[in-house]
Amino acid sequence: MIIKSKFFHENLSDKVVEFIKQKIFTGEYKKGHHILEQEIANELNISRAPVREGIKLLQNQELIKFIPRKGNYVNEFTTEDIKEIYDIRLLIETSVFEILINEKKLTEEDFQNLIKIIDEMVELAKKEGELSTKIMNLNKKDMEFHRYIWNKSGSKRRIRILSTLYTQLQLVMIIDTKLAGNLENTAKEHYAIIKYLRQGDLDSCIKAFEDHILIYRNKNNQ
């Protein structure tokens, strides 16, 4: 009974996490937005306990910042924060490419699966619709693409670190849509990464990846 109750509680906490992320990523909760436990509990028709747990999880991901005697707020990343996040991601994800190439981790089936994800990203980018919603949907596909690559490396610690970083980048990219640039071109840039992974060309693969993510970082520094 206790185990069942705990499992139910954890499921509610996950629901809270996704609910708040959705609010943040669609722009309903903007940078600096005050997040109120009771308000979320009322909207989801649940108690405040799982809301509190969900907020703690988002604090660990640095999407939410707790300010003593004031409460919880959607985090605001400085230019220096964003630069550091991108630099760390660049360092770790390029080491993933090295593992994949040197240990020949990717099969032809893997390459086809990855190309299919990119094709879906390009189609999403071409669709009409609200920009913030398109970016949110594209980021989900982008996460699917990069997670696939990370998981094939078999490096659990790298996967964990990159997942946390990517969640923070999603916040930056979705709240500030000017960082997105041309969505279709951004989606197509993934083809070059796959091309060089398939060829086993590590230097070109890293260069393609750098060109892809530095677009965002450089725009933020302008």
Side-chain angles (χ1 to χ4, degrees), residues 3-4 33-34 83 90 97 100 106 151 162 187 191-192 198 208 222:
I3 294 174
K4 184 178 179 180
H33 178 87
H34 190 188
K83 181 180 182 298
L90 185 65
F97 296 145
L100 295 178
L106 296 175
N151 287 336
L162 286 167
Y191 287 122
R198 177 180 257 152
Q222 286 176 357

Side-chain angles (χ1 to χ4, degrees), residues 72-106:
N72 293 290
Y73 296 82
V74 175
N75 205 359
E76 299 185 58
F77 292 104
T78 66
T79 299
E80 198 55 40
D81 290 332
I82 296 167
K83 181 180 182 298
E84 183 179 31
I85 290 167
Y86 277 117
D87 285 342
I88 294 170
R89 181 190 174 191
L90 185 65
L91 183 67
I92 298 174
E93 193 153 358
T94 52
S95 73
V96 166
F97 296 145
E98 187 173 1
I99 292 171
L100 295 178
I101 289 173
N102 290 343
E103 299 182 20
K104 295 181 171 55
K105 293 273 191 177
L106 296 175

Side-chain angles (χ1 to χ4, degrees), residues 35-65:
I35 295 175
L36 302 172
E37 287 182 12
Q38 190 59 59
E39 184 179 282
I40 293 171
N42 291 342
E43 286 195 61
L44 295 176
N45 195 27
I46 59 177
S47 69
R48 290 178 62 173
V51 174
R52 196 172 300 118
E53 288 302 314
I55 288 174
K56 283 181 181 178
L57 290 171
L58 290 171
Q59 287 173 352
N60 292 337
Q61 295 178 13
E62 297 186 32
L63 290 187
I64 291 177
K65 181 178 181 179

